[in-house]
Amino acid sequence: MGKAFPFSLIVILLLLTSTKGFCQVILTGKVTDAATGGPLPGATLFIPDLKTGVAADKDGVYRFTNLPKSTLIIQASYIGYGAATNLVDLKSMKNVDFQLSEKAIESREVVITGSGISTDNNRSSISITPIGKAQLLTTPSTNIIDAISSVPGLSEITTGGDVSKPVIRGLSYNHVVTLNEGVRQEGQQWGDEHGIEIDQYSADRIEVLKGPASLFYGSDAMGGVINILEPIHAPMNTIRGELASQFATNNMMTNSTLMLEGNHNGFTWRARGSYKNAASYRSPPEYVYNSCFNELNYSAMLGLNKKWGYSHLHYSRYDANIGMVDGARDSISEEFINMNGEIVSSSEARSRIPELPFQNVRHNKVTSVSNFIFGDNQLRVNLGYQDNDRREFEDSRESPSLFMHLDTWTYDGKYTRLFPGEIEMVAGASGMTQSNTNLGEEYLVPAYNLQDFGLFIYAKKSWKKWTLNAGLRHDIRWLNGRSLYLDTLGHPAPAGDTVFPGFSSTFSAFSGSSGFTYAASDVFNFKFNLGSGFRAPNIAELGSNGVHPGTFRYEIGNPLLKSENSIQVDGEISAGWRWLSITFSGYYNYIFNYIYQRNINGETRVIEGKTCQVYRFVQGNSSLRGFELEADFHLIDPLHFENSIDFVLGTNESTATPLPFIPALHTVHKLRWTFSTAKTSIMSAPYLEIGGQFHASQNRIDNFETATPGYFLLDASAGTKLRIGKQWCTLFISGSNLTNTQYFDHLSRLKEVGVYNPGWNVTFGLLVPFDIYEKKL
């Protein structure tokens, strides 16, 4: 069903793209200062449902052409001003002006797309944090999840240099869905040492949805969603590009990208190549042997942006070699040793070439992302195919011990209708076909086939101050684990020693969401949401049978597990003045049939001469409760003081014990001074920033974890916009852990083998946009 359905859908879409009869609409207007009435030249206007944007001219006048006769949301923004949105009926309105108010607090993106439909963030009852390109670019990081891990409510589980898994409000692994331009990323998310196979330079902005999003994304979105979005395409009849590069002193990481894109009468294209290479990182006491990695990414996009909407075809390839830190040390000197038991030399410790053991991960992805607009109707269709090869080399660089190949087909369709009275309704269907094959000599999970399908309906009604929304979804998933038997030589055979007995499981559930927003005034805004989540057990929980690498636990799956279901209540209060912005979010999440591991009655097994504790997957009820608080102060024009705190408490209600991998209380503080410059200066908005992160101790731990002491990290940065010719470049330098604090992050998997997190690090970065061709209209 999974492959036949997308094929027939593609045929229908090809027919739709040839439909005639759309009438062109031109929309013009002016963007001005609300206080003075003066124009705001260079202000940007963005229509998310068309993926198109324009800039206002020197008089603040903007002009959109080739628009459909529809009702669409438009965002206007300008540096130093609060962004504004307007729902514009293009059937009757040909001129729309925007008056923006000066706002010292840096304004985030106000239009979000991850909640099913494009809407103003203040009109979404789900707690969503948007992250712009500037933050993604200037935050010192080794991967895309690392770059956003300081967002309140978001953390990361790390394994060495290049592996990070997102944690949203205490939930991770298959509790969080990562979307890349509307298509869910699938690459063995159940694994501890499995990261996100996405080029961090490819993201223009990210939306973090906190809380159950199963209504729109089905199973696995119980904890939330990381929605990664591409850049707006190039303006009409232009060719442009960008070159960006970073260098980090701690692990000598070089990270560079080159992008070219163009737009010829609505035919758009983009090509990008990125390369990242890092030596082993240095913790305060030592270089961490075999934490080096390299990563090659390239991607391409071809598309059409027309008055009927847009249709884009994407291809991307991710190829990474990542050293696996096992923490083996000499019993006398306590120095790292290699696979031969020899103490590693200084040059080996600093190497850029991963030694055994290491993993090679290759991820190919082809996706089609389209939105067809006809009147007040929209049909959004996302189709995708991904193949993921994961090879782990332990004894030989030529022959992998573990080799898993994962094929995934996904399809997602949403039909949106805008009714009179600002009533929006969305109906949708999504599904996935997946097949996993074991090609190596080691087996962590059985080979399997998976089918997934879901239907949902959602409605939203808006008034001047209020917004109400509600939706319902039903999902069903079939998963067949294949049996595996080995002969006396350890080769697969029709009969012999049983590694995996084989099983067949079916899971289904209803989920839903209902909430409201209330704009009490221009200052105060309230959100409330009641949502339910659904997650089917993953293949490791159902079918594991063996020692999990790096943990020395013998894990046994349970094919009789039930699906997890949750109920979450969360609310948000925000207030914004010119000099102060405050947002408080609180939540309570109760999960029925939560899946976790337990060692029962001290059960052990001897594997290759080592005694391993046996952990079996079981279920019980659990709860997570917590809050996030953000407060930004801007008492005088040059000075900006940003603060945040987040806290989550996870409890296994069935055993009255803490849940594992729960981040400690975490606060972030940043004090920035921005200098004023003359209009003729080669620099624009240069800044100096000093900041700190405090992580409290984490003593509420599961029985296979260890407590983690608290710590404080000192950070600092400086940067500016720099004019080179007619182009404005971005130049920055960012320092992290400048006091070289020796610490363990509670969510670092290397903590259990006594390996500290990185010491002091300084990152230098440069972004150079450039124009190649522009046809004057």
Side-chain angles (χ1 to χ4, degrees), residues 184-464:
R184 58 188 293 158
Q185 184 81 4
E186 288 292 322
Q188 313 281 10
Q189 293 94 324
W190 53 267
D192 290 281
E193 65 281 358
H194 304 169
I196 304 298
E197 303 91 350
I198 295 176
D199 178 8
Q200 68 185 98
Y201 275 123
S202 68
D204 184 71
R205 59 198 189 281
I206 295 177
E207 298 168 354
V208 180
L209 284 71
K210 305 172 188 176
S214 298
L215 172 64
F216 299 113
Y217 302 109
S219 178
D220 302 354
M222 177 180 288
V225 172
I226 308 293
N227 187 24
I228 301 170
L229 300 167
E230 68 173 356
I232 303 171
H233 61 76
M236 189 74 75
N237 297 316
T238 61
I239 300 176
R240 66 182 184 182
E242 69 176 23
L243 173 67
S245 187
Q246 295 183 10
F247 173 76
T249 59
N250 181 283
N251 59 357
M252 308 301 287
M253 183 183 75
T254 59
N255 189 7
S256 301
T257 188
L258 174 64
M259 184 273 288
L260 296 173
E261 64 176 351
N263 182 342
H264 178 68
N265 294 328
F267 173 73
T268 61
W269 58 270
R270 181 183 301 115
R272 180 184 295 275
S274 305
Y275 182 68
K276 186 188 302 182
N277 186 290
S280 294
Y281 78 80
R282 179 166 188 141
S283 68
E286 61 192 350
Y287 285 96
V288 177
Y289 172 63
N290 212 30
S291 60
C292 53
F293 60 89
N294 58 72
E295 181 184 311
L296 175 65
N297 295 279
Y298 49 88
S299 59
M301 183 275 289
L302 294 175
L304 289 174
N305 286 73
K306 296 293 184 177
K307 53 198 168 198
W308 45 258
Y310 62 84
S311 183
H312 294 169
L313 181 66
H314 298 259
Y315 169 74
S316 65
R317 179 176 173 85
Y318 170 100
D319 191 341
N321 294 293
I322 305 170
M324 300 172 68
V325 180
D326 59 14
R329 297 178 183 269
D330 180 72
S331 59
I332 298 175
S333 67
E334 291 298 315
E335 295 182 76
F336 286 111
I337 58 175
N338 60 24
M339 290 293 293
N340 299 320
E342 303 165 339
I343 295 176
V344 301
S345 65
S346 175
S347 60
E348 285 181 297
R350 304 182 187 191
S351 174
R352 289 179 176 270
I353 301 174
E355 299 295 337
L356 296 172
F358 72 94
Q359 57 179 305
N360 171 255
V361 183
R362 299 175 185 175
H363 193 92
N364 293 287
K365 182 166 55 180
V366 180
T367 60
S368 171
V369 181
S370 304
N371 190 30
F372 303 96
I373 300 175
F374 38 101
D376 285 332
N377 305 273
Q378 295 189 34
L379 177 62
R380 192 182 305 267
V381 180
N382 299 331
L383 308 171
Y385 168 72
Q386 305 169 62
D387 74 72
N388 182 283
D389 283 334
R390 178 171 296 277
R391 299 173 175 89
E392 296 187 3
F393 299 83
E394 297 179 4
D395 304 316
S396 166
R397 301 188 72 91
E398 288 74 36
S399 179
S401 301
L402 177 75
F403 184 178
M404 295 185 292
H405 177 81
L406 181 69
D407 286 304
T408 305
W409 296 82
T410 56
Y411 51 91
D412 176 86
K414 297 183 179 72
Y415 171 75
T416 303
R417 170 74 175 176
L418 177 63
F419 294 92
E422 290 197 46
I423 299 175
E424 296 173 271
M425 295 194 69
V426 186
S430 60
M432 177 170 63
T433 297
Q434 196 169 74
S435 175
N436 191 61
T437 307
N438 289 314
L439 302 175
E441 299 175 352
E442 292 185 359
Y443 311 97
L444 295 181
V445 297
Y448 68 89
N449 295 313
L450 179 149
Q451 292 280 350
D452 183 281
F453 184 72
L455 294 167
F456 79 90
I457 188 168
Y458 169 82
K460 186 178 80 168
K461 164 64 178 172
S462 300
W463 292 271
K464 183 177 180 180

Side-chain angles (χ1 to χ4, degrees), residues 7 48 52 78 103 128 193 288 293 297 340 487 530 746 748 750 768:
F7 179 78
T52 189
Y78 189 73
K103 190 175 183 181
I128 301 177
E193 65 281 358
V288 177
F293 60 89
N297 295 279
N340 299 320
D487 60 20
L530 174 65
H746 185 68
S748 169
L750 300 184
V768 182

